[in-house]
Amino acid sequence: MHTFFLLEGAYLILAGIVLLVTLFVTTRPFMGKGAVKKGLGWVSLVLAVLIGAHYWVTTSRMAKVAEAFEAGKPVLCESRMLRKASQVVEIQKSREWRIENNNFVSPYYERPFFLARCIVK
């Protein structure tokens, strides 16, 4: 559950804002009878499907990245540390990287990389 909130927290907040806007619009006098129930129902359904699909795609990619890493394949991770240098870090098990709590960690690199922000080369 922690991973879900870590990955989808921003989208859950945005979904809440969208639901508040939907509630505001559907309670206006020009809206038909039952608009609140229909509007909130459909918007909630669409948001739940989209957030669920995003979570499934992201966790599937994370599993593939971890599997490739354990097989010794190179993994590319986004680096936001130095904008003037390379924005991608290549990670391999043979270079003393390891996975801890869904993060790539190395004794030679000061910050970890979250598996969700990496792809297999």
Side-chain angles (χ1 to χ4, degrees):
M1 198 60 149
H2 177 265
T3 305
F4 177 77
F5 287 115
L6 190 63
L7 291 172
E8 306 302 324
Y11 297 118
L12 292 172
I13 292 169
L14 289 173
I17 292 168
V18 169
L19 287 173
L20 287 174
V21 169
T22 303
L23 180 64
F24 178 77
V25 170
T26 56
T27 56
R28 299 298 94 201
F30 57 83
M31 295 299 290
K33 197 169 186 111
V36 175
K37 192 174 184 180
K38 288 178 187 175
L40 287 177
W42 282 107
V43 171
S44 297
L45 178 67
V46 168
L47 291 172
V49 168
L50 291 174
I51 290 172
H54 181 265
Y55 179 73
W56 179 76
V57 167
T58 304
T59 53
S60 297
R61 186 178 68 244
M62 288 172 62
K64 289 178 186 174
V65 165
E67 183 180 311
F69 174 77
E70 294 299 334
K73 295 179 183 175
V75 173
L76 300 176
C77 291
E78 175 185 26
S79 175
R80 297 180 184 174
M81 198 166 182
L82 296 172
R83 287 292 183 187
K84 295 179 182 176
S86 175
Q87 294 192 8
V88 175
V89 174
E90 187 172 312
I91 294 173
Q92 282 186 303
K93 195 170 191 172
S94 62
R95 294 182 185 163
E96 297 188 40
W97 286 89
R98 64 189 185 284
I99 297 176
E100 289 181 4
N101 299 327
N102 289 327
N103 289 305
F104 286 116
V105 181
S106 171
Y108 304 111
Y109 209 83
E110 65 183 70
R111 69 178 286 265
F113 292 97
F114 191 46
L115 263 69
R117 307 294 171 244
C118 301
I119 58 170
V120 179
K121 184 173 181 182

